[in-house]
């Protein structure tokens, strides 16, 4: 049977008897609250021997818990060639640790030209944003504005990762239907 004292943060087990030459094991489950190396020390004594003995656990390395989630929403669902689309990109950290050095990137597919948002590399058609910190449970928003140059159903995908979790997550925008921009001029000559 164990008891926990939140003031001293001690877990105590009372074992009524241990036979000579035998052992008893106890177990405690904890949730790490911080990143780094954690060492835990156990102490034992008995009525027969008041000397306290101790044993130290192996170091446990606790890594960060960062879970990025992306959403990408267009401000319109239908446009014509030449119109602009503004995308709102939300990066949320669903993890228990802060996300640092968050990179967000979007490679413009054919049918789009860059207008504004992030840092644009014309040669690669890559737009990037860097967010220094997204706290646990927090979100950050970035914007992207593009012009439409092709007819059809267009979508594009945004990616993100952080220093703590290099595996990129991605999210594809909803389709935007682009109609042709046809302007007819009629004249009548008599």
């Amino acid at each position: 049977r164990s008891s926990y004292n939140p003031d001293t943060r001690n877990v105590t087990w009372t074992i009524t008897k241990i036979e000579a030459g035998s052992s008893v094991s106890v177990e405690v489950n904890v949730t790490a609250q911080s990143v780094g190396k954690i060492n835990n020390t156990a102490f034992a004594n008995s009525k027969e021997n008041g000397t306290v003995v101790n044993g130290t656990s192996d170091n446990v390395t606790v890594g960060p818990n960062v879970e990025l989630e992306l959403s990408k929403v267009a401000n319109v669902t239908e446009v014509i060639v030449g119109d602009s689309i503004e995308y709102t990109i939300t990066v949320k950290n669903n993890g228990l640790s802060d996300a640092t050095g968050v990179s967000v990137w979007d490679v413009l597919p054919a049918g789009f030209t860059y207008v504004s948002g992030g840092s644009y590399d014309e040669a690669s058609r890559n737009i990037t944003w860097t967010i220094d910190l997204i706290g646990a449970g927090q979100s950050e928003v970035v914007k992207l504005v593009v012009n439409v140059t092709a007819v059809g159903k267009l979508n594009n995908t945004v990616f993100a990762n952080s220093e703590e979790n290099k595996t990129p997550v991605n999210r594809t925008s909803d389709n935007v239907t682009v109609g042709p921009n046809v302007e007819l001029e009629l004249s009548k000559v008599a």
Side-chain angles (χ1 to χ4, degrees):
R1 196 178 122 225
S2 68
S3 63
Y4 175 67
N5 181 328
D7 295 329
T8 62
R9 298 174 53 95
N10 286 330
V11 179
T12 303
W13 289 268
T14 303
I15 302 166
T16 54
K17 185 176 184 181
I18 301 175
E19 297 292 332
S22 64
S23 63
V24 173
S25 295
V26 294
E27 183 177 301
V28 62
N29 293 310
V30 296
T31 301
Q33 299 295 314
S34 62
V35 174
K37 288 190 186 256
I38 297 176
N39 187 356
N40 188 18
T41 303
F43 300 92
N45 68 3
S46 70
K47 289 179 187 175
E48 294 78 19
N49 182 351
T51 303
V52 176
V53 294
N54 66 28
T56 303
S57 70
D58 293 334
N59 283 338
V60 175
T61 301
V62 179
N65 178 333
V66 171
E67 297 176 19
L68 298 180
E69 175 186 331
L70 284 169
S71 69
K72 183 174 186 179
V73 179
N75 66 330
V76 293
T77 56
E78 292 184 18
V79 293
I80 60 173
V81 171
D83 284 350
S84 293
I85 301 171
E86 180 181 78
Y87 289 103
T88 300
I89 301 164
T90 304
V91 187
K92 182 174 183 185
N93 178 6
N94 291 320
L96 301 174
S97 304
D98 292 346
T100 61
V102 178
S103 295
V104 181
W105 67 96
D106 189 324
V107 180
L108 282 184
F112 293 116
T113 58
Y114 173 80
V115 175
S116 66
S119 177
Y120 181 61
D121 178 69
E122 193 171 341
S124 66
R125 299 181 54 81
N126 195 27
I127 304 113
T128 57
W129 297 263
T130 300
I131 303 168
D132 293 334
L133 174 74
I134 302 176
Q138 301 298 309
S139 299
E140 291 289 331
V141 174
V142 296
K143 303 272 187 170
L144 171 63
V145 179
V146 296
N147 277 336
V148 181
T149 61
V151 175
K153 286 192 182 239
L154 301 178
N155 63 42
N156 74 324
T157 303
V158 64
F159 300 87
N161 67 9
S162 71
E163 288 297 322
E164 296 78 13
N165 190 346
K166 292 291 188 184
T167 303
V169 295
N170 65 67
R171 178 70 179 165
T172 301
S173 67
D174 295 331
N175 286 332
V176 175
T177 302
V178 182
N181 183 359
V182 178
E183 295 180 21
L184 300 176
E185 186 174 305
L186 180 64
S187 64
K188 184 176 180 182
V189 179

